[in-house]
Amino acid sequence: MATCSSPGCDKPITSNLACPKCSQLGLPPAYFCSQDCFKTNWASHKQVHALAKQIIEAQQNAPSHRKTPPRDGISAPPDAPTDVKMSLPEWAKHYEFSGPLRPALLSPKRMVPPNIRKPDYADHPLGVSDSEQRDKRNHNSIRIYTADELDGELGLRHACRMGREVLDVAGRALRPGVTTDEIDRVVHEAAIERECYPSPLNYYNFPKSVCTSINEVICHGIPDYREIQNGDIVNIDVTTYNLGGYHGDLNETFCVGEVDAEGQKVVRTAFECLAASLALVRPGTLYRDLGTAIHKVAQKNQCSIVRTYCGHGIGSLFHTIPNVPHYHKNKAKGTMKVGHVFTVEPMINLGKSGDVTWGDNWTAVTTDGKRSAQFEHTVLVTENGCEILTARDNEPVMTWNEELISR
């Protein structure tokens, strides 16, 4: 039974009391349990209307007679001059960066053909996942996936295998001189070829199909026209949503060209942190204990752990419970049981653990400008321990191989 749209209210909907403004703006209907509940939540709920109006007005005001799209301050067409594509976005012109990396402009949004199944946020004007919001309100227990859900022809295991294939394709395309926009194109087309939706696209208005995080970028880097440089470390974070309605999420950090010793150290430390945590995954393990295993490896290598972002439950939802923090003495709730599916994705820094977000509202970077690395897998708790659903071919247990991450 559907529940009230007010945050924290779990009362069932017994009438058709819906927000009229949402309907007027073409947004998904928001139902409330009572007039009083609607009035109480109005101050926060109307913020959704304001943002929707801004998006609609921007679309309506765009001149239709122009041969090229109007300059929006963040994007440029692929055939624009190189100096235009490499120029700073408007938000960055007076931004105080913590490190040497600078963004370039973005290419136009890539389209998804109608035969591809889309998650509920794909066409939402704000990129909101209503199913995730309902899940937060209505569920506080970790989902247990059945054999049919995991092993069906288009089950969760298939989604994870597609994600692995797409990441491998993207990794092979990575080299000095290639733009992260090109990596985005490769990921987008590889996902579509496998009849999958690239999950990051429009998730809370993320503009691209993959996250590409370079050097001091911790996570959520937006692909742009900047070329990868010799000596960069580059994280590629892929999630695919298959025709069965499941997401598979993973990422790896690659060393491009001649990477110095410190860069190599943080990449290998991130790999070993993830491997150490997955060695603990089995029925009965407390989710909070993974952070201690990660802490020991990071501390031994004189690296720090980002505390802002964590692993998460995944499957029919992109993000759900459990939350899986990566640091020592965290207060994560829950005990692992057979059938739980979640990601572990420790973000490891060479310097301080702090992070700050760029003016694009997505790109998280280190506060001191030093480099950061990350590896991620989607895993299943089994009777015997852990199955890495996004594992490399013939690598059921994570095994360090420098050649596989060198470009």
Side-chain angles (χ1 to χ4, degrees):
M1 178 179 291
T3 59
C4 182
S5 293
S6 292
C9 180
D10 57 0
K11 294 181 180 178
I13 300 300
T14 57
S15 68
N16 291 325
L17 179 61
C19 173
K21 196 66 175 179
C22 284
S23 300
Q24 180 184 340
L25 293 170
L27 299 176
Y31 293 101
F32 295 85
C33 63
S34 67
Q35 191 72 36
D36 288 341
C37 202
F38 175 60
K39 290 179 179 178
T40 301
N41 186 56
W42 174 247
S44 59
H45 181 69
K46 67 180 181 180
Q47 295 176 12
V48 175
H49 304 155
L51 187 51
K53 285 180 181 178
Q54 292 177 14
I55 294 172
I56 293 169
E57 288 172 2
Q59 293 171 340
Q60 291 175 340
N61 293 334
S64 59
H65 64 278
R66 294 183 59 149
K67 293 182 179 180
T68 58
R71 179 167 171 78
D72 58 8
I74 62 169
S75 66
D79 59 355
T82 300
D83 62 330
V84 171
K85 294 194 289 187
M86 289 302 297
S87 61
L88 287 173
E90 288 296 328
W91 65 263
K93 291 181 178 178
H94 303 288
Y95 186 82
E96 187 173 341
F97 291 90
S98 64
L101 186 70
R102 295 293 182 272
L105 297 185
L106 312 181
S107 65
K109 181 180 178 181
R110 303 186 196 281
M111 297 295 103
V112 176
N115 63 302
I116 301 298
R117 178 172 179 171
K118 296 180 180 179
D120 62 350
Y121 56 81
D123 295 319
H124 192 287
L126 308 180
V128 173
S129 172
D130 289 322
S131 57
E132 288 188 0
Q133 297 298 319
R134 286 194 301 271
D135 182 72
K136 287 180 182 179
R137 293 194 300 266
N138 299 335
H139 299 102
N140 56 14
S141 60
I142 301 169
R143 179 171 174 176
I144 293 176
Y145 281 87
T146 66
D148 287 344
E149 292 169 326
L150 290 164
D151 300 323
E153 182 180 357
L154 295 171
L156 180 48
R157 199 183 299 278
H158 171 269
C160 291
R161 188 166 65 252
M162 294 302 97
R164 164 48 65 183
E165 289 184 8
V166 172
L167 178 59
D168 288 345
V169 171
R172 289 193 291 271
L174 186 63
R175 61 186 181 278
V178 169
T179 65
T180 49
D181 181 71
E182 172 65 8
I183 299 301
D184 181 72
R185 183 194 66 79
V186 169
V187 167
H188 187 89
E189 293 181 1
I192 299 303
E193 287 171 5
R194 290 160 177 78
E195 298 186 297
C196 291
Y197 181 91
S199 302
L201 186 61
N202 202 49
Y203 184 70
Y204 291 90
N205 285 156
F206 188 81
K208 293 296 178 180
S209 298
V210 64
C211 297
T212 51
S213 301
I214 302 169
N215 297 338
E216 69 262 31
V217 179
I218 296 168
C219 61
H220 303 156
I222 301 175
D224 61 23
Y225 288 121
R226 177 192 180 272
E227 293 182 354
I228 301 297
Q229 305 297 310
N230 178 49
D232 284 345
I233 62 172
V234 182
N235 180 272
I236 301 177
D237 193 340
V238 168
T239 312
T240 48
Y241 180 74
N242 72 357
L243 290 175
Y246 297 102
H247 299 270
D249 190 4
L250 73 161
N251 73 55
E252 293 185 354
T253 302
F254 299 88
C255 294
V256 180
E258 299 175 358
V259 175
D260 63 22
E262 286 289 280
Q264 293 179 38
K265 182 183 83 167
V266 73
V267 171
R268 181 159 186 173
T269 299
F271 184 94
E272 292 177 349
C273 282
L274 178 58
S277 64
L278 297 192
L280 294 181
V281 174
R282 64 179 66 90
T285 295
L286 301 177
Y287 279 99
R288 65 171 180 254
D289 288 347
L290 299 189
T292 300
I294 294 166
H295 169 82
K296 290 178 180 178
V297 176
Q299 186 179 53
K300 181 185 70 174
N301 290 291
Q302 297 179 309
C303 292
S304 63
I305 303 165
V306 176
R307 300 168 67 97
T308 303
Y309 303 97
C310 61
H312 52 89
I314 190 169
S316 57
L317 299 176
F318 195 174
H319 296 90
T320 183
I321 55 174
N323 291 324
V324 187
H326 304 119
Y327 55 89
H328 189 39
K329 295 183 179 178
N330 68 77
K331 297 181 179 179
K333 298 178 181 179
T335 302
M336 296 178 194
K337 296 181 180 179
V338 174
H340 284 185
V341 177
F342 56 94
T343 72
V344 188
E345 45 190 293
M347 287 142 269
I348 307 301
N349 296 351
L350 275 174
K352 298 177 181 178
S353 63
D355 62 274
V356 65
T357 303
W358 277 359
D360 60 14
N361 296 321
W362 276 105
T363 306
V365 299
T366 59
T367 55
D368 56 12
K370 294 186 178 180
R371 284 166 290 180
S372 182
Q374 179 189 21
F375 287 82
E376 173 189 20
H377 276 306
T378 296
V379 300
L380 166 69
V381 182
T382 68
E383 294 281 0
N384 301 317
C386 167
E387 179 183 351
I388 303 175
L389 297 177
T390 48
R392 297 168 177 162
D393 287 343
N394 304 313
E395 192 180 296
V397 177
M398 288 183 66
T399 305
W400 176 253
N401 184 335
E402 187 175 343
E403 291 184 2
L404 295 179
I405 56 92
S406 299
R407 294 294 181 269

